[in-house]
Protein backbone atom coordinates (compact mmCIF):
# COMPACT_ATOMS: atom_id res chain seq x y z
CA UNK A 1 0.00 0.00 0.00
CA UNK A 2 1.33 3.44 -0.95
CA UNK A 3 -0.08 6.98 -1.06
CA UNK A 4 1.14 10.15 -2.77
CA UNK A 5 0.27 13.16 -0.59
CA UNK A 6 -0.16 16.76 -1.72
CA UNK A 7 -1.96 19.93 -0.73
CA UNK A 8 -2.74 23.35 -2.12
CA UNK A 9 -2.76 22.60 -5.85
CA UNK A 10 -4.89 25.73 -6.42
CA UNK A 11 -6.16 24.71 -9.84
CA UNK A 12 -2.71 24.05 -11.33
CA UNK A 13 -3.51 21.51 -14.04
CA UNK A 14 0.17 20.79 -14.80
CA UNK A 15 0.86 20.02 -11.13
CA UNK A 16 -2.07 17.59 -11.12
CA UNK A 17 -0.81 15.87 -14.28
CA UNK A 18 2.66 15.55 -12.73
CA UNK A 19 1.18 14.11 -9.51
CA UNK A 20 -0.79 11.54 -11.52
CA UNK A 21 2.44 10.61 -13.37
CA UNK A 22 4.28 10.23 -10.04
CA UNK A 23 1.44 8.04 -8.74
CA UNK A 24 1.76 5.75 -11.76
CA UNK A 25 5.58 5.63 -11.60
CA UNK A 26 5.51 4.84 -7.87
CA UNK A 27 2.69 2.29 -8.20
CA UNK A 28 0.75 4.20 -5.54
CA UNK A 29 -2.86 3.35 -4.70
CA UNK A 30 -4.19 6.90 -4.35
CA UNK A 31 -3.29 10.58 -4.20
CA UNK A 32 -4.38 12.22 -0.95
CA UNK A 33 -4.91 15.99 -1.10
CA UNK A 34 -5.14 18.08 2.07
CA UNK A 35 -7.39 20.67 0.44
CA UNK A 36 -7.33 23.71 -1.81
CA UNK A 37 -7.57 21.53 -4.91
CA UNK A 38 -9.60 24.33 -6.55
CA UNK A 39 -10.61 22.39 -9.68
CA UNK A 40 -10.97 24.11 -13.01
CA UNK A 41 -11.85 22.70 -16.42
CA UNK A 42 -11.35 18.96 -16.62
CA UNK A 43 -9.23 18.63 -13.46
CA UNK A 44 -11.75 16.36 -11.74
CA UNK A 45 -11.64 14.02 -14.75
CA UNK A 46 -7.83 13.95 -14.58
CA UNK A 47 -7.81 13.22 -10.83
CA UNK A 48 -8.13 9.44 -10.93
CA UNK A 49 -7.80 7.59 -7.60
CA UNK A 50 -7.73 10.97 -5.87
CA UNK A 51 -9.13 11.83 -2.43
CA UNK A 52 -9.36 15.43 -1.24
CA UNK A 53 -10.74 17.36 1.72
CA UNK A 54 -12.15 20.87 1.58
CA UNK A 55 -9.66 23.69 1.86
CA UNK A 56 -10.52 27.28 2.68
CA UNK A 57 -10.30 28.27 -1.02
CA UNK A 58 -12.31 25.28 -2.30
CA UNK A 59 -15.58 26.91 -1.26
CA UNK A 60 -15.26 29.16 -4.32
CA UNK A 61 -15.22 26.18 -6.73
CA UNK A 62 -17.83 23.77 -8.00
CA UNK A 63 -17.10 20.08 -7.51
CA UNK A 64 -19.00 17.97 -10.01
CA UNK A 65 -17.60 14.48 -9.32
CA UNK A 66 -15.65 14.72 -6.07
CA UNK A 67 -17.55 15.30 -2.86
CA UNK A 68 -14.89 16.60 -0.47
CA UNK A 69 -15.54 16.66 3.26
CA UNK A 70 -13.83 18.67 5.98
CA UNK A 71 -11.87 15.62 7.19
CA UNK A 72 -11.13 12.09 6.05
CA UNK A 73 -10.08 9.11 8.11
CA UNK A 74 -8.26 6.18 6.51
CA UNK A 75 -6.59 3.02 7.73
CA UNK A 76 -3.02 2.46 6.62
CA UNK A 77 -1.71 -0.94 7.67
CA UNK A 78 -3.28 -0.58 11.12
CA UNK A 79 -2.39 3.09 11.52
CA UNK A 80 -5.03 5.78 11.51
CA UNK A 81 -4.58 8.58 8.97
CA UNK A 82 -6.54 11.80 9.49
CA UNK A 83 -6.56 14.32 6.63
CA UNK A 84 -7.81 17.87 7.04
CA UNK A 85 -6.84 21.17 5.47
CA UNK A 86 -5.34 22.70 8.59
CA UNK A 87 -7.22 26.00 8.73
CA UNK A 88 -9.78 24.74 11.29
CA UNK A 89 -8.47 21.61 12.98
CA UNK A 90 -5.18 20.41 14.43
CA UNK A 91 -3.96 16.97 15.48
CA UNK A 92 -5.21 17.63 19.02
CA UNK A 93 -8.81 17.70 17.72
CA UNK A 94 -8.72 13.97 16.84
CA UNK A 95 -8.24 10.76 18.86
CA UNK A 96 -4.77 9.88 17.54
CA UNK A 97 -2.23 7.52 19.11
CA UNK A 98 1.49 6.97 18.72
CA UNK A 99 2.22 5.86 15.15
CA UNK A 100 -0.91 7.45 13.66
CA UNK A 101 -0.56 10.07 10.90
CA UNK A 102 -2.10 13.55 10.82
CA UNK A 103 -2.02 15.24 7.39
CA UNK A 104 -2.78 18.93 6.89
CA UNK A 105 -2.00 21.61 4.35
CA UNK A 106 -2.99 25.31 4.21
CA UNK A 107 0.42 26.84 5.03
CA UNK A 108 2.18 25.71 1.80
CA UNK A 109 5.14 24.96 4.10
CA UNK A 110 6.31 21.33 4.24
CA UNK A 111 6.53 19.67 7.64
CA UNK A 112 7.33 16.13 8.72
CA UNK A 113 7.88 15.34 12.40
CA UNK A 114 6.55 13.39 15.37
CA UNK A 115 4.78 15.24 18.17
CA UNK A 116 5.19 14.45 21.88
CA UNK A 117 2.53 11.70 21.63
CA UNK A 118 4.35 9.96 18.78
CA UNK A 119 1.81 11.08 16.16
CA UNK A 120 3.41 11.77 12.79
CA UNK A 121 2.55 15.26 11.54
CA UNK A 122 2.73 15.76 7.78
CA UNK A 123 2.19 18.88 5.72
CA UNK A 124 3.28 18.05 2.16
CA UNK A 125 3.70 21.71 1.21
CA UNK A 126 2.45 22.72 -2.23
CA UNK A 127 3.39 21.54 -5.72
CA UNK A 128 2.24 24.82 -7.28
CA UNK A 129 2.57 27.66 -4.75
CA UNK A 130 5.43 26.88 -2.36
CA UNK A 131 6.34 29.25 0.45
CA UNK A 132 9.80 27.93 1.39
CA UNK A 133 13.28 27.63 -0.05
CA UNK A 134 12.66 23.92 -0.71
CA UNK A 135 10.36 24.92 -3.57
CA UNK A 136 7.42 22.73 -4.63
CA UNK A 137 7.01 19.58 -2.53
CA UNK A 138 4.90 16.46 -2.03
CA UNK A 139 5.10 13.34 0.16
CA UNK A 140 4.88 9.57 -0.12
CA UNK A 141 3.53 7.25 2.57
CA UNK A 142 4.65 3.65 2.15
CA UNK A 143 5.02 0.56 4.30
CA UNK A 144 8.33 1.61 5.84
CA UNK A 145 7.52 5.28 6.55
CA UNK A 146 6.88 8.75 5.17
CA UNK A 147 9.14 10.77 2.87
CA UNK A 148 8.87 14.45 2.01
CA UNK A 149 10.20 15.07 -1.51
CA UNK A 150 11.11 17.85 -3.91
CA UNK A 151 8.47 18.10 -6.63
CA UNK A 152 11.01 19.09 -9.26
CA UNK A 153 13.76 16.54 -8.56
CA UNK A 154 12.08 13.86 -6.39
CA UNK A 155 15.01 14.23 -3.96
CA UNK A 156 14.11 13.15 -0.42
CA UNK A 157 14.10 16.22 1.83
CA UNK A 158 13.12 14.41 5.04
CA UNK A 159 12.07 10.93 6.06
CA UNK A 160 10.37 9.33 9.08
CA UNK A 161 10.49 5.59 9.58
CA UNK A 162 7.62 3.56 11.03
CA UNK A 163 10.14 1.35 12.81
CA UNK A 164 10.54 2.01 16.51
Amino acid sequence: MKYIVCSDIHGDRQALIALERIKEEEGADKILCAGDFCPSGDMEDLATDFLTVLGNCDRYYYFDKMIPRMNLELDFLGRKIIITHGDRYSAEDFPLSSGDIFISGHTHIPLLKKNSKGVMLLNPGSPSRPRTKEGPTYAIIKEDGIALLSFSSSAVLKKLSFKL
Side-chain angles (χ1 to χ4, degrees):
M1 184 170 252
K2 190 184 293 187
Y3 292 132
I4 303 300
V5 186
C6 66
S7 185
D8 299 282
I9 294 173
H10 288 281
D12 187 326
R13 188 175 190 280
Q14 294 309 310
L16 175 61
I17 290 168
L19 287 163
E20 287 286 347
R21 180 185 43 76
I22 292 166
K23 175 192 161 288
E24 291 305 314
E25 289 172 357
E26 288 289 334
D29 299 285
K30 295 215 179 286
I31 297 174
L32 309 178
C33 180
D36 281 355
F37 179 58
C38 307
S40 60
D42 64 348
M43 285 182 66
E44 283 184 286
D45 293 328
L46 295 172
T48 60
D49 296 320
F50 194 93
L51 294 174
T52 188
V53 295
L54 282 171
N56 59 301
C57 293
D58 284 324
R59 68 178 175 253
Y60 301 111
Y61 293 83
Y62 175 74
F63 286 82
D64 183 40
K65 296 177 173 71
M66 298 174 177
I67 310 295
R69 298 179 294 175
M70 293 301 294
N71 311 301
L72 283 174
E73 181 176 331
L74 303 171
D75 177 77
F76 184 79
L77 306 173
R79 299 172 187 280
K80 185 186 299 185
I81 295 178
I82 297 289
I83 309 165
T84 191
H85 185 54
D87 59 324
R88 295 181 187 184
Y89 302 104
S90 69
E92 290 75 32
D93 294 315
F94 299 93
L96 295 166
S97 303
S98 181
D100 289 339
I101 304 165
F102 178 78
I103 300 171
S104 64
H106 187 59
T107 65
H108 300 223
I109 299 171
L111 171 77
L112 180 58
K113 69 176 189 176
K114 285 185 183 178
N115 69 11
S116 61
K117 295 180 182 178
V119 174
M120 298 181 185
L121 306 176
L122 170 61
N123 183 324
S126 172
S128 60
R129 296 183 183 178
R131 293 182 180 157
T132 63
K133 62 180 171 58
E134 288 87 5
T137 53
Y138 70 102
I140 297 179
I141 302 174
K142 22 187 195 182
E143 292 179 10
D144 63 342
I146 304 171
L148 186 62
L149 300 104
S150 165
F151 193 68
S152 52
S153 71
S154 295
V156 175
L157 303 173
K158 188 166 188 180
K159 191 170 187 177
L160 276 181
S161 174
F162 289 146
K163 295 176 184 162
L164 299 175

